[in-house]
Amino acid sequence: MRYFKSVTDIGDLKEAVREAMQVKANRFAYKKLGQDKTLLMIFFNSSLRTRLSTQKAAMNLGMNVIVLDVNQGAWKLETERGVIMDGDKPEHLLEAIPVMGCYCDVIGVRSFARFENKQDDYEEKIFNQFVKYSGRPVFAMETATVHPLQSFADLITIEEYKTVERPRVVLTWAPHPKALPQAVPNSFAQWMNAAGYDFVITHPHGYELSSEFTQGATIEYDQDKALAGADFVYAKNWSAYEDPNYGKVLSTDRSWTITTEKMALTNNARFMHCLPVRRNMIVTDDVIESERSIVIPEAANREISAQVVLKRILESL
Ligand code: AN0
Ligand code: CP
């Protein structure tokens, strides 16, 4: 595997989950695979889990790791070709990317949607330039439109905790004060559809996601109806995708917050969230602290999803 961005990059999901379980049972078995290989992680945006779990996964594989926070200490980067660079940005991405490629064997990129231009975001302008100009395998650590390391960890977690072969998995929008990307729900929808679960998405009108990712899911605008019989409740906020409201907050309606009463509508569901989560906006203290909440094991599986991805990339070098 040379690139990791879409669910299709990982191939057969059952096989991927099997490999994840093997890695989890013996995470130091491939310590030689990454010897003398360097991972460079580039962050255009903040991170706690992705940064730590991916670095840990790389260390499990014996790799060296360099982390660069582009906004802290590096030159400010121009990303548009053709710009007369007489402003505050001393370096262009078109030199920076191949230079970064010189110092590593594998590159991970985190670059969120900027909400300036929907087409630029959905064409993955930044990520694709890394693919084109770095000369290295590149994987997504949350791009403008997807967060596949998260979705892979979510899939592993659901497989570990499910009690029926084909669980009912409900992705629910929940309120948040700031405009957040669609990357997590886009990827989650793509992976849940590919896994073949009974998958339902619920959100207020105006929060429809791109059908490129949701195709195959049931869309239910009534959150209570959607939650009925759920085995897993996956809460997440996202901003509007559809024009003319792309990137906007249309609602902060706290009747969508996941409460104990909402969880009582489910089939004793497990509660999931990718984190970071705003308590008592997205989910109440009681629900996230309840024994049905699996947000911590879910985060722990980020190390595993990252390790499978890095292992496969190393195997292809
Ligand atoms: C980001 C998002 O919603 O995409 C990262 C989540 C993993 N969340 C925030 O910016 C709070
Ligand atoms: N879930 C997740 O990707 O968290 P970070 O933004 O902290 O990396």
Side-chain angles (χ1 to χ4, degrees):
M1 188 169 71
R2 214 172 146 76
Y3 301 104
F4 178 67
K5 183 170 165 290
S6 168
V7 69
T8 52
D9 295 326
I10 200 91
D12 183 72
L13 284 188
K14 285 206 158 58
E15 180 50 40
V17 170
R18 249 196 311 275
E19 194 171 331
M21 299 308 180
Q22 278 167 11
V23 162
K24 191 163 181 169
N26 192 358
R27 55 193 89 189
F28 304 110
Y30 297 91
K31 201 124 196 162
K32 291 244 157 45
L33 194 60
Q35 200 181 350
D36 299 331
K37 296 283 187 281
T38 300
L39 167 65
L40 175 59
M41 296 199 282
I42 313 280
F43 288 91
F44 288 86
N45 307 92
S46 306
S47 168
L48 186 145
R49 278 143 293 273
T50 304
R51 180 177 180 141
L52 298 179
S53 63
T54 310
Q55 180 158 2
K56 176 64 162 61
M59 293 189 313
N60 294 348
L61 290 163
M63 297 183 86
N64 299 312
V65 183
I66 308 174
V67 182
L68 179 66
D69 288 309
V70 171
N71 300 319
Q72 274 173 13
W75 302 108
K76 257 196 166 165
L77 292 175
E78 176 57 62
T79 57
E80 291 302 308
R81 194 172 172 278
V83 166
I84 298 169
M85 289 173 59
D86 61 354
D88 63 341
K89 295 172 181 159
E91 178 144 36
H92 204 289
L93 202 59
L94 288 170
E95 282 77 53
I97 291 176
V99 166
M100 292 189 246
C102 295
Y103 309 137
C104 64
D105 301 281
V106 183
I107 302 184
V109 181
R110 165 162 287 201
S111 176
F112 289 177
R114 297 175 172 188
F115 297 140
E116 286 163 9
N117 180 320
K118 180 175 177 176
Q119 198 179 340
D120 284 357
D121 287 344
Y122 272 73
E123 281 176 359
E124 293 287 8
K125 221 171 155 181
I126 303 292
F127 183 82
N128 284 338
Q129 292 194 73
F130 276 90
V131 169
K132 201 164 166 192
Y133 300 117
S134 72
R136 301 294 175 202
V138 182
F139 65 95
M141 301 198 299
E142 187 170 339
T143 68
T145 70
V146 288
H147 194 3
L149 285 174
Q150 182 64 51
S151 307
F152 186 13
D154 296 335
L155 174 69
I156 296 165
T157 310
I158 291 171
E159 285 296 305
E160 286 177 323
Y161 282 87
K162 75 180 188 184
T163 54
V164 290
E165 183 53 31
R166 187 168 178 265
R168 180 176 170 90
V169 177
V170 179
L171 166 63
T172 178
W173 180 93
H176 188 279
K178 299 242 160 63
L180 295 187
Q182 296 103 30
V184 170
N186 280 346
S187 267
F188 188 70
Q190 188 186 49
W191 284 68
M192 293 301 105
N193 282 325
Y197 298 144
D198 176 7
F199 179 52
V200 182
I201 305 174
T202 183
H203 54 70
H205 286 277
Y207 278 99
E208 291 76 14
L209 294 162
S210 163
S211 60
E212 177 192 342
F213 301 102
T214 60
Q215 223 157 46
T218 304
I219 313 290
E220 170 57 68
Y221 290 94
D222 182 330
Q223 191 193 38
D224 288 358
K225 266 194 201 156
L227 292 174
D231 298 300
F232 292 88
V233 173
Y234 193 99
K236 182 73 184 87
N237 174 267
W238 62 88
S239 61
Y241 166 74
E242 292 291 352
D243 292 324
N245 293 319
Y246 178 67
K248 292 211 170 80
V249 174
L250 304 180
S251 164
T252 50
D253 181 359
R254 284 180 45 223
S255 72
W256 282 77
T257 301
I258 297 299
T259 60
T260 302
E261 293 70 37
K262 294 276 182 189
M263 290 300 285
L265 302 170
T266 70
N267 181 29
N268 196 22
R270 295 289 188 173
F271 176 80
M272 299 177 74
H273 190 281
C274 63
L275 308 180
V277 71
R278 288 191 186 233
R279 284 177 173 224
N280 305 308
M281 285 295 295
I282 303 277
V283 58
T284 61
D285 293 318
D286 289 343
V287 171
I288 199 166
E289 291 169 6
S290 76
E291 61 89 25
R292 304 310 290 169
S293 169
I294 51 173
V295 297
I296 306 303
E298 179 184 0
N301 279 331
R302 289 294 306 276
E303 177 184 341
I304 309 305
S305 63
Q307 194 169 333
V308 172
V309 167
L310 282 171
K311 174 174 171 283
R312 288 194 180 186
I313 290 174
L314 287 170
E315 284 165 347
S316 74
L317 284 181

